[in-house]
């Protein structure tokens, strides 16, 4: 009768109290297309849970009942004619289920596995996560490289600032970019150069300590050792420069003095001293003021040791000079040291200040230095310094000297060498090494207080803190 197999479905039909039977004929091909399995599974059941239409014909033939399925149970118990819900079946898998009643005692059911429903969403989510991760990774790499272009120069500037704070003004910074950081680096380099020049015109260590707040404004009493040195015959040497070089003498003298001062300052700083100032060809320094070695004895020892180091540095420098070189004559110095309580602090005006020491021990140190020439020595220390360091050095006592303002004569000692050190062991050996002539036995040391003459009379310079015989 039909060109393809036909499936007849019989549904009980109840009407006017009599049971009738309704026969529905379906083409098997049509049912297969409608209820075939694929992404989803659709079937028809009656109100008892029996399969009426299913892609698996054996389930219908065997009269398999689906009433035990959790979804079918909820469908049969629901008063609604249609339902869509998420459920977990007896096999433990999650499904989406939907049904719709088509007759009073039959319904079409469609189910689809949960993972299939969300497969597209999950794939899209995974792609979005991977894309987000890739973008985030590339962003991090870009930001890291970009931050390096900023952080590396800034770290270099921070390290340079720390060096400047520590007193090192000689920096060599090169801008690597042309942005704001590069401009800042170039400005920082200019500032470093300016500070380097500034540091040559002042005591760098004192300036750094004042910047850190370690040196406060005002004066403080300090037990210090004061040092003065002077070049022997400097006036005569200056005149020789002028005669030999004329207008170019100034450059020659400055170069010659700077070479000398460089070595002397190095000796002071290596022993923890402070170079106070240069007074013409003289050097003033002190120990135990801005900082101390721990005790007046150690400070005094460092001061005397620095003087011996200066002697050795000059011997080395003079040995390198050519004999008779007017542009670089040999140098002999006299050093005087005294110890005592001084006032140390920042003196000057609002425009210019310097860290220095004042007091009677300073004047006595200057006058002690002036005694080297008449005594035929190069390093003299007073009794106060000798009492702090005498047992650590080889010394010879010199004739006492009467100083203006002092009631008692001041004992003076010539420093020969460190004990147990190589080199001269007596004052005679030292004079022979340095080429110093022994003094006249009839020398009047008190005359050394007379620094200048007015007409035929001599006058004392009681207020001078520097100078000495030249």
């Amino acid at each position: 009768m039909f060109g393809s197999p036909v499936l007849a479905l019989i549904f009980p039909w109840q009407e006017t109290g009599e049971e009738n039977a309704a026969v529905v004929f379906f083409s098997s091909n049509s049912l297969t297309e409608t209820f075939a399995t694929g992404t989803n599974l659709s079937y028809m059941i009656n109100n008892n849970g029996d399969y009426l239409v299913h892609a698996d014909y054996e389930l219908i033939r065997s009269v398999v009942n689906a009433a035990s399925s959790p979804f079918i149970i909820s469908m049969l118990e629901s008063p609604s004619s249609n339902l869509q819900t998420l459920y977990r079946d007896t096999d433990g898998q999650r499904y989406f289920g939907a049904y719709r009643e088509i007759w009073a005692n039959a319904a079409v059911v469609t189910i689809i596995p949960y993972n299939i429903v969300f497969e597209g969403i999950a794939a899209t989510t995974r792609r979005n996560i991977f894309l987000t991760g890739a973008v985030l990774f590339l962003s991090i790499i870009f930001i890291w490289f970009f931050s390096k272009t900023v952080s590396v120069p800034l770290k270099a500037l921070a390290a340079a600032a720390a060096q400047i704070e520590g007193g090192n003004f000689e920096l060599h910074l090169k801008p690597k970019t042309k942005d704001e950081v590069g401009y800042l680096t170039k400005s920082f380099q200019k500032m470093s150069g300016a500070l380097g020049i500034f540091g040559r015109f002042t005591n760098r260590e004192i300036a750094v300590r004042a910047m850190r707040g370690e040196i406060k404004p005002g004066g403080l009493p300090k037990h210090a050792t004061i040092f003065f040195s002077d070049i022997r015959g400097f006036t005569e040497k200056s005149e020789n420069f002028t005669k030999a070089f004329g207008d170019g003498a100034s450059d020659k003298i400055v170069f010659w003095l700077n070479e000398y001062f460089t070595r002397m300052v190095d000796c002071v700083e290596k022993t923890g001293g402070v170079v106070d100032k240069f007074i013409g060809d003289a050097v003033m320094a002190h120990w135990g003021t801005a900082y101390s070695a721990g005790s007046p004895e150690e400070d005094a020892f460092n001061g005397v040791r620095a003087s011996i180091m200066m002697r050795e540095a000059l011997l080395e420098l003079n040995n390198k000079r050519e004999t008779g070189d007017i542009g670089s004559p040999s140098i002999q110095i006299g050093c005087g040291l005294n110890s005592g309580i001084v006032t140390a602090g920042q003196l000057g005006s609002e425009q210019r200040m310097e860290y220095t020491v004042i007091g009677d021990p300073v004047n006595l140190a200057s006058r002690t230095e002036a005694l080297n020439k008449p005594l035929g020595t190069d390093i003299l220390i007073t009794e106060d310094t000798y009492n702090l360091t005498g047992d650590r050095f080889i010394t010879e006592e010199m004739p006492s000297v009467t100083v203006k303002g002092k009631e008692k004569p001041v004992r003076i000692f010539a420093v020969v060498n460190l004990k147990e050190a190589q080199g001269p062991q007596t004052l005679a050996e030292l004079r022979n090494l340095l080429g110093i002539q022994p003094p006249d036995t009839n020398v009047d040391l008190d005359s050394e207080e007379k620094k200048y003459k007015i007409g035929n009379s001599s006058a004392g310079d009681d207020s001078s803190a520097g100078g000495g015989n030249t």
Side-chain angles (χ1 to χ4, degrees), residues 185-241:
T185 302
K186 186 183 296 184
S187 300
F188 211 90
Q189 176 61 34
K190 291 181 180 179
M191 182 190 69
S192 169
L195 288 174
I197 295 173
F198 170 77
R200 296 177 184 177
F201 286 90
T202 184
N203 191 304
R204 181 176 302 183
E205 185 67 21
I206 295 299
V208 171
R209 286 178 176 267
M211 180 177 62
R212 294 175 183 168
E214 297 176 8
I215 297 178
K216 304 293 183 182
L220 291 173
K222 298 281 187 176
H223 195 298
T225 293
I226 314 302
F227 165 93
F228 281 90
S229 71
D230 202 6
I231 296 178
R232 300 275 77 88
F234 177 73
T235 301
E236 181 183 352
K237 287 181 172 61
S238 297
E239 293 175 352
N240 291 336
F241 271 99

Side-chain angles (χ1 to χ4, degrees), residues 35 56 71 81 87 103 110 115 194 260 288 297 408 416 422 460:
F35 294 97
D56 188 355
F71 177 65
S81 62
Y87 72 96
W103 294 292
T110 299
N115 59 341
Y260 157 73
E297 290 79 9
K408 297 181 179 180
V416 177
Q422 295 182 352

Side-chain angles (χ1 to χ4, degrees), residues 342-354:
V342 299
T343 298
Q346 300 180 52
L347 297 180
S349 67
E350 292 182 358
Q351 289 74 29
R352 186 181 185 278
M353 300 189 74
E354 64 179 16

Side-chain angles (χ1 to χ4, degrees), residues 180-349:
E180 291 82 355
V181 177
Y183 179 78
L184 180 61
T185 302
K186 186 183 296 184
S187 300
F188 211 90
Q189 176 61 34
K190 291 181 180 179
M191 182 190 69
S192 169
L195 288 174
I197 295 173
F198 170 77
R200 296 177 184 177
F201 286 90
T202 184
N203 191 304
R204 181 176 302 183
E205 185 67 21
I206 295 299
V208 171
R209 286 178 176 267
M211 180 177 62
R212 294 175 183 168
E214 297 176 8
I215 297 178
K216 304 293 183 182
L220 291 173
K222 298 281 187 176
H223 195 298
T225 293
I226 314 302
F227 165 93
F228 281 90
S229 71
D230 202 6
I231 296 178
R232 300 275 77 88
F234 177 73
T235 301
E236 181 183 352
K237 287 181 172 61
S238 297
E239 293 175 352
N240 291 336
F241 271 99
T242 303
K243 292 176 182 179
F245 302 104
D247 293 339
S250 296
D251 273 346
K252 294 286 186 179
I253 292 175
V254 169
F255 180 82
W256 175 65
L257 281 176
N258 285 346
E259 185 181 25
Y260 157 73
F261 283 141
T262 297
R263 293 175 179 259
M264 300 302 101
V265 170
D266 185 57
C267 296
V268 173
E269 293 183 345
K270 282 183 177 179
T271 54
V274 173
V275 176
D276 189 299
K277 59 177 67 71
F278 301 109
I279 311 169
D281 60 307
V283 179
M284 177 182 174
H286 35 83
W287 288 258
T289 50
Y291 32 91
S292 172
S295 67
E297 290 79 9
E298 286 301 314
D299 293 328
F301 171 76
N302 285 333
V304 179
R305 184 163 62 95
S307 303
I308 295 177
M309 291 170 60
M310 291 179 185
R311 174 198 292 163
E312 295 171 350
L314 274 180
L315 281 171
E316 180 183 356
L317 181 62
N318 289 333
N319 288 335
K320 293 181 179 179
R321 302 182 190 277
E322 295 183 6
T323 304
D325 185 357
I326 300 177
S328 182
S330 61
I331 296 176
Q332 289 184 344
I333 62 172
C335 304
L337 296 97
N338 181 42
S339 302
I341 303 297
V342 299
T343 298
Q346 300 180 52
L347 297 180
S349 67

